[in-house]
Amino acid sequence: METTLTNPVASRKFISDGVLGMIFLLTTEAMLFAGFISAYIVNHAGATMWPPADQPRLPIGITAINTIILLASGFLLFFFSKNFKSNQANGKNGLGILMLSMLLGLTFVSIQGIEWVRLIGYGLTTSSSLYASFFYLIIGFHGLHVLVGLAILAYLFNKVKNSKSTEDAKNTINACKLYWYFVVGIWPLLYYLVYLS
Amino acid sequence: MENTHKISFVNKYLFSTDHKTIGAQYTIMGVLMAAVGGFLAYIFRYNLAFPGQNIPLFGALGPQQYNSFVTIHGMIMVFWVGMPVLLAGFGNFLIPMMIGTDDMAFPTLNMMSFWIFFLSAVILLASFFVPGGAFGGGWTMYPPLSANGYMVRDPNFLSALLSGSSLLILAVALEFVAMLMGGINFLVTTFNKRTKGMTAFRVPLVVWYINIAAVIFMFSVGPLVAGAFMLLFDVVLGTGFYDPARGGDPILFQHLFWFFGHPEVYVLLLPSLGVLAEVIPVFSRKPLFAYKKLVYLALLSAVLSVVVWAHHQFIAGIDPRMATFFSIGTIIISIPFAGIFLSFMATLWGGSIRFKLPMLWALGFIALFLIGGLTGLFLGSNAFDIYAHDTYFVVTHFHYTLFPDIFFGFFAAFYFWFPKFSGRTLNNTLGHLHFWLTFVFFNCTWFVLFFNGLAGQHRRIHDYSAFSNFSGGIYQTFEKFSTIGAICLILTQFIFLINVIMSMSKKKNAVKNPWEATTLEWVADSPPPHGNFPVMPEVFRGPYDYSVPGEAKDFLPQNQQ
Ligand SMILES: [Cu+2]
């Protein structure tokens, strides 16, 4: 029934539904992080000592390496989507690259998780100081987005693997990759604000 | 046999992906929640008029309960009535019909949106039954009351999570998720699924306005969600984001809240103004005045809406220079809305006006909103606001804006589109009775309270017996007058209910285009089947071709060549 009623102007779509929806979603997400960041900056600026003397310091070095891992994951996704069509023409789907990108993302959250456990052991808890509260709030929310992003990439993996039409797969890739770019792209800013400033 | 029939019922009415069913679900849910919100209002209004007395159908009202009821009344009316009815309800019913398509871009997401909304309402109502009762710190949820005040008595994790304040935050967060899913659907549908010939400036204004409202919502909600999560963590995880003793800042929440809170007013207002922009030309038999400029004005108001928020915080200790900036912004933002209302006036001017029911609600909306809007100008200037802050003047002001917006807007739309979407007609006499009584009793309820507010009566005190200047004399008489008005206002709504029930029990008798309107939904059958149109109509003209000179008929449907 629905197929006979398809819209006569489907060709007008400059941007596919999925990509457009994702853009609107990410605008909202960006504003969410803007809320966290502005709250953080206001409190940071008003504090007499940041970080407080009695609080453990954040692991800057290992997180720098972790930053590179996440950026590499984003780059691999870019590479995967760029070469998807030519790979498909060669009879391959390039899914190995996507898999690698996901593995790097997984490595990133795992390292973050291990660091959290260590920090809690050192006495940095949600209620130990405002400094610690903001750390867990902002980095935690980003971590949550990484997990959601990995779920989206897993969905994408499955979709590309089983998809019959290249066009369909291409649209899904274009929508899903935006989410991961957002997660990867906002991280250096958060790293700078929370760890370095 | 019976089993398969049941499955189809579930798919058709509960987990339907059809935009019209989802629109109806949102609307019905909104009306049910309005009944809850109205009942709460009845209870605390009764207590204000007759303090300490036993309230019929309820019993005695304690101070803590009073606070809870006032808080949840506000929450319900804004987030569980205004949002589902005006944004989600109108958006779902109207957008696919008016742009000429079969359904939303993401039907499954649309269905999920409603059920998440439903869950949020259940959580909100459940919060009445947790220890300590529903949250009572005001609908703005300001810390410290919401974070670590008397509302949260027992600070262990589980009981903190099941306290009125965290359940309220949770319910609001879920409601936002639902509206976000709806908003994304509206925008993508409007961008990508318009029928042939439906160019941007042939889209009816109500569709524009619902989409602009969705954009405002999506742009402003993020910071509030951020603020709400920080509040939730203050309650359940022992963080100190808003606790000055630990370096936090309670004013920060106010900023995050009102960064959303003020634009939210326009999220609620624009869909209703859009309805007026459809109703008024139809019953004036004239094109909408300055259609394109109305789009630009709404876009301008959307931009301005995110730079006025601190006018809610003039007495919160913000920098006076900042207060001046926000005062000026607030007064400037009335300009686009004045423009919109002037355009409605200009549309009426010289028209051959038909005083049908939708038109009466539209005109009533304008009359009441004028009072609400003008008192808003007073409050926008910080000198006056410092005096009037938190008095009945403020409460009366926003009821003069939001009541016409939510209820008059809804009823204008309801009486206008009910024949289309149900296929049935409403009783005209009952409809007139409903309109006139609502109009009169609303003014009885509210107008007198302007005087209480100007006399300095504070909005959040449950019993004025201890304050001699308010407990007797004229101001207490006003309180009683207002309460009796409110009770009559609520009873009047039963006329509406009876009218709808009577009409639903009759046969389908509505014609395709009872009001002789031009937009695409009137091309479809009444009610429109699944898929809306047998063949998607092609559009050749704008939405407001009424009384075009030299034409035989005084209206030209959009799909007429
Ligand atoms: Cu405001």
Side-chain angles (χ1 to χ4, degrees), chain A residues 2 5 7 9 15 17 24 127, chain B residues 192-194 238 530 533-534:
Chain A
E2 270 94 3
L5 287 172
N7 207 301
V9 279
I15 306 174
D17 289 356
F24 290 126
S127 54
Chain B
N192 277 353
K193 293 196 76 176
R194 280 170 287 138
H530 187 63
F533 304 95

Side-chain angles (χ1 to χ4, degrees), chain B residues 258 261-262 265 308-309 311-312:
Chain B
W258 288 113
H262 193 87
V265 172
V308 300
W309 77 88
H311 62 212
H312 296 274

